[in-house]
């Protein structure tokens, strides 16, 4: 199952799937009891075992609470990534899929209201995606880096979305609880037999586990087939091409033929059986090769410029080793680029620019970036990505003025997302740098102060609509601090912890804000202090709830 992936990287996930851990915890005390009651009947000892589940499905609310606990740990992981550009790209696919699931009735109003529907990006080179309880979706940058179209990524996301809408997580956990008495009984009988024959005891324990594991495997295969069927309908209704499923299955099948080197953990949770692939192929009616492509194909081809550039961004962010970054400069050599397509050239130049930025080779980055700008000038979405990359380069060089200038030349109509999260965040960073570099009391400082105030208002509006956006709160905290609004800055820092579900840390920050306000006396902003008091009480309640859940 996809929601059980990556348990080595995120150990907290292992506790969700491995109900057998309960057996290990109970084996020791029950084993001791068996030795003391050797004269009694082993069957009587098994009959007195506790009831480990009545088969009732987990409610959506309980599933969400479990998902929150897991997500809280993932947000703390150093490999958790919130890259605005990659997030915007994935959301441009994710939101249409959600809308299609609602239209189809797969996503019920109760699920829509109860579940989180959050995407979590992980800095990992492996090709993987997973669904967690409560509709938290994990996506490795390695997966984004290998897909060659939005349709392919949509096929994966719609599959994972269907695992959630079809309640596969709750059904899997219910199934495990139903198997628990049988598996636990086999283990206890093995412990009772250990005094007579250790080999027989081991065989009995392993046999019981094998029966449960095979039943679980058959159950998960049914879920995979169901997620294929439902996900296909969601993806196509959202407007994505059916060929995305075909090409993505092709990538996974090729990896399977290469014996799964470990870079495709998605294969291990989603085994590509012949039946699954044949059924998916039968659902797709592709035109014969000699049929002329529709007029929209040219537009789709142009759209691949920006998609390939974002795939390059994902590959670089997934592997920031110095040797890996240096290889991009070799691929960007004119002699090497001449052997590639224009789309591949744009991706390579984008990757070489970003790699040079991370290596702090700003001179080389400037050269690659200029070549990239020339190569994608005729494609608005790709030109926007190139210009935003230029802003990142300017910020890396601490050139706030240049960053502001480049942001001012971006065609707003070329933005892929109507909310403009990427531009807003870069504007905040650019004006913060501009304010720091400007001489105190100069006209430049006055302009930067005024502009930063405007960006701050935009950030306030943004967090009002997106209170779970931790990066927005971080920028807002920095903007408040630069304007001398200390109490507001401390509150924003607390809201970062709230957004990442760390209520204990958030409460500590809110109490620090209260202490600071008391020390200021009459000079404090009473409106802001009132907000801090209200939020402190709210978070205290959440901390108590978390304590009860433990």
């Amino acid at each position: 199952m996809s929601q059980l992936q990556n348990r080595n990287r995120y150990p907290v996930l292992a506790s969700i799937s491995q109900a057998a851990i309960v057996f290990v915890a109970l084996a020791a005390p029950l084993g001791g009891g068996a030795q003391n009651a050797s004269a009694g009947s082993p069957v009587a000892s098994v009959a007195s075992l506790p009831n480990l589940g009545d088969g009732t499905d987990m409610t959506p609310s309980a599933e969400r609470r479990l998902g929150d606990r897991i997500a809280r740990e993932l947000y703390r992981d150093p490999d958790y990534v919130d890259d605005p550009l990659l997030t915007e790209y994935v959301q441009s696919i994710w939101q249409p899929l959600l809308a299609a699931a609602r239209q189809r009735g797969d996503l019920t109003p109760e699920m829509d209201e109860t579940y989180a529907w959050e995407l979590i990006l992980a800095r990992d080179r492996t090709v993987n995606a997973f669904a967690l309880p409560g509709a938290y979706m994990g996506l490795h940058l390695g997966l984004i880096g290998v897909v060659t179209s939005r349709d392919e990524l949509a096929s994966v996301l719609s599959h994972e979305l269907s695992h959630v809408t079809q309640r596969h997580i709750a059904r899997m956990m219910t199934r495990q609880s139903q198997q628990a008495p049988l598996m636990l009984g086999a283990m206890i009988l093995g412990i009772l037999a250990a005094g007579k024959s250790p080999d027989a005891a081991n065989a009995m324990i392993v046999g019981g586990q094998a029966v449960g594991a095979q039943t679980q495997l058959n159950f998960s295969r049914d879920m995979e087939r169901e997620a294929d069927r439902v996900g296909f309908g969601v993806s196509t209704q959202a407007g994505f091409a059916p060929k995305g499923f075909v090409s993505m299955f092709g990538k996974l099948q090729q990896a399977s033929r290469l014996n799964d080197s470990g870079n495709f953990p998605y294969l291990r949770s989603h085994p590509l059986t012949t039946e699954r692939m044949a059924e998916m192929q039968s659902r797709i009616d592709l035109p014969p090769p000699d049929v002329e492509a529709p007029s929209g194909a040219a537009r789709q081809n142009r759209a691949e410029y920006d998609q390939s550039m974002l795939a390059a961004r994902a590959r670089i962010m997934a592997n920031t080793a110095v040797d890996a970054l240096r290889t991009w400069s070799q691929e960007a050599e004119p002699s090497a680029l001449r052997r590639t397509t224009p789309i591949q050239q744009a991706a390579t130049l984008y990757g070489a620019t970003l790699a040079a930025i991370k290596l702090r080779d700003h001179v080389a980055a400037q050269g690659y970036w200029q070549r990239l700008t020339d190569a994608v000038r005729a494609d608005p979405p790709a030109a926007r990505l190139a210009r935003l990359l230029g802003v990142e380069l300017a910020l890396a060089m601490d050139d706030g003025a240049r960053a502001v200038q480049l942001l001012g030349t971006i065609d707003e109509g070329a933005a892929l997302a109507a909310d403009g999260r990427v531009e807003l965040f870069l504007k905040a960073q650019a004006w913060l740098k501009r304010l720091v570099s400007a001489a105190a009391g100069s006209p430049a400082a006055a302009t930067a102060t005024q502009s930063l105030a405007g960006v701050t208002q935009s950030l306030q509006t943004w967090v009002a609509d997106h209170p779970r956006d931790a990066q927005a709160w971080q920028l807002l905290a920095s903007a408040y601090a630069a304007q001398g609004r200390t109490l507001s800055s401390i509150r924003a820092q607390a809201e970062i912890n709230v957004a990442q579900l760390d209520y204990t840390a958030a409460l500590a920050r809110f109490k620090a804000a209260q202490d600071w306000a008391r020390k200021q006396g009459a000079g404090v902003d009473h409106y802001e202090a009132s907000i801090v008091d209200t939020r402190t009480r709210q978070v205290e309640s959440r901390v108590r709830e978390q304590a009860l859940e433990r």
Side-chain angles (χ1 to χ4, degrees), residues 83 86 309-310 312-317 325 328 347-360 365 368-369 372 389 392-393:
D83 180 73
L86 292 180
M309 292 161 66
L310 289 168
R313 184 182 186 88
R315 291 197 296 273
I316 286 178
M317 296 190 68
L325 294 176
W328 286 90
T348 300
L349 289 171
Y350 186 96
T353 305
L354 184 58
I357 291 174
K358 292 190 175 297
L359 290 170
R360 294 185 175 86
Y368 296 135
W369 177 77
L372 171 66
L389 185 59
E392 290 185 72
L393 174 57

Side-chain angles (χ1 to χ4, degrees), residues 489-507:
S489 180
I490 299 174
R491 177 174 75 88
Q493 293 169 25
E495 297 291 358
I496 297 171
N497 298 124
V498 173
Q500 297 181 340
L501 307 175
D502 189 351
Y503 298 115
T504 301
L507 182 59

